[in-house]
Amino acid sequence: MARLPRLNLPDIPQHIVQTGHNNLPCFFDDEDYEFYLQSLKTAAEQYRVDIHAYVLLPNMVQFIATPRIEQGISSMMQSLGRRYVQYVNHRYRRSGTLWGGRYKSSLIDSEAYLLTCYRYVELKPMYLGLANEPGEYPWSSFNFHTTLETSELIKDHRLYTELGKNTRERVQAYRKLFRYAFDSRLLTYIAETVKLGQVLGGDSFKDRIERIANQRVRPLKRGRPRKQDEHPAKANENKTSTV
C-alpha cells in the first residue's frame, strides 16, 4: 500500500520514527545518545516543536511531538539528521548515510490515542528485550513520566498534565496506565499506521484533518475501479451474443 503525502500541521501531535540504514546501529556508546538528545533539544527549540515522549534505540529513534509552526517537525528532523550524521562520521571516521531514508510519521488523535502512544514508545526497550522493565532503560522519557526526575527536553501535552494537580499526582496516575498489557492488535495498528504515514484516529478526526489539510488522508480502497454501467441496449446485445 502506498504511503500518503506527509502532513505537518501545527498543534497536531505526531508519532515520528526514523531507523538506521538497513536497520544497522546509529548509536554506539553513551556519548552518542547524549549528543543526540542535546541536538534534539536544540533543534526542537529552534523550530518550535514540543517533544512529549521519546526512546532512542540502538538502530531507531521514536518521538511523540507537537509542532507549533508549519513544517516545524520536518525542519527539525532535517537539522537534527544532518547534525548527528556529521558528528558520527567525524567521530568514527566514516562516511556515507546513517539513516534508512526519510523519517516516518503519523498524526495522532490526541483525545483517543496520545497517552497510548506515550506508552507505546516508552515500552519499546522492554518489548525488544533491551530491558526487563522500562525504567531500567536510560534512553527514554519513561523515568521522567513515572518518577520525580526532571527533563530539559520534555514539554508535556495537556492530556498528561491533566492527570493530576501536581507532579506527584501525575506520576502516580501515569504509572497506573502500565498495569495493563498492550493488546497485540493495538500494537500492530500503531506500528502500521506510522509505517504507512496514515492518521491514527477515528473517522471524525480524519474528517477534521481532511478539512484542515484540504487533502485525502484515507488510503484508497484496493482493487480496480468499477466500470460504468453499459447502455441497456448494448448490455442486451452482449447477453444475446453469449447464448
Side-chain angles (χ1 to χ4, degrees), residues 55-111:
V55 65
L56 308 186
L57 303 167
N59 67 335
M60 177 190 304
V61 298
Q62 295 203 25
F63 316 129
I64 306 300
T66 299
R68 297 306 178 190
I69 59 174
E70 289 188 10
Q71 305 304 320
I73 284 180
S74 59
S75 298
M76 178 190 77
M77 294 301 291
Q78 288 172 11
S79 174
L80 176 61
R82 285 194 301 267
R83 180 176 173 83
Y84 186 69
V85 170
Q86 289 171 0
Y87 158 84
V88 169
N89 286 349
H90 176 74
R91 185 178 185 205
Y92 296 103
R93 298 181 180 180
R94 65 183 296 278
S95 62
T97 187
L98 181 67
W99 303 110
R102 299 179 67 194
Y103 72 93
K104 298 178 174 63
S105 64
S106 64
L107 301 183
I108 302 170
D109 181 350
S110 55
E111 298 296 330

Side-chain angles (χ1 to χ4, degrees), residues 4-22:
L4 294 167
R6 192 193 305 278
L7 295 174
N8 282 288
L9 302 178
D11 304 321
I12 306 293
Q14 294 189 31
H15 181 191
I16 302 158
V17 176
Q18 190 164 32
T19 58
H21 180 63
N22 289 333

Side-chain angles (χ1 to χ4, degrees), residues 18 22 39-40 44 52 65 74 85 127-128 136 149 153 173 187 191 195 197 205 222-223 239 243:
Q18 190 164 32
N22 289 333
S39 299
L40 173 60
H52 305 312
S74 59
V85 170
Y127 284 126
L128 294 175
E136 296 176 1
E149 185 177 299
L153 172 62
L187 285 172
K195 178 181 178 182
F205 180 70
R222 293 183 177 182
K239 288 181 181 179
V243 175

Side-chain angles (χ1 to χ4, degrees), residues 128-146:
L128 294 175
L130 299 173
N132 293 322
E133 298 292 336
E136 296 176 1
Y137 193 75
W139 309 113
S140 86
S141 53
F142 177 83
N143 286 326
F144 169 76
H145 288 130
T146 58

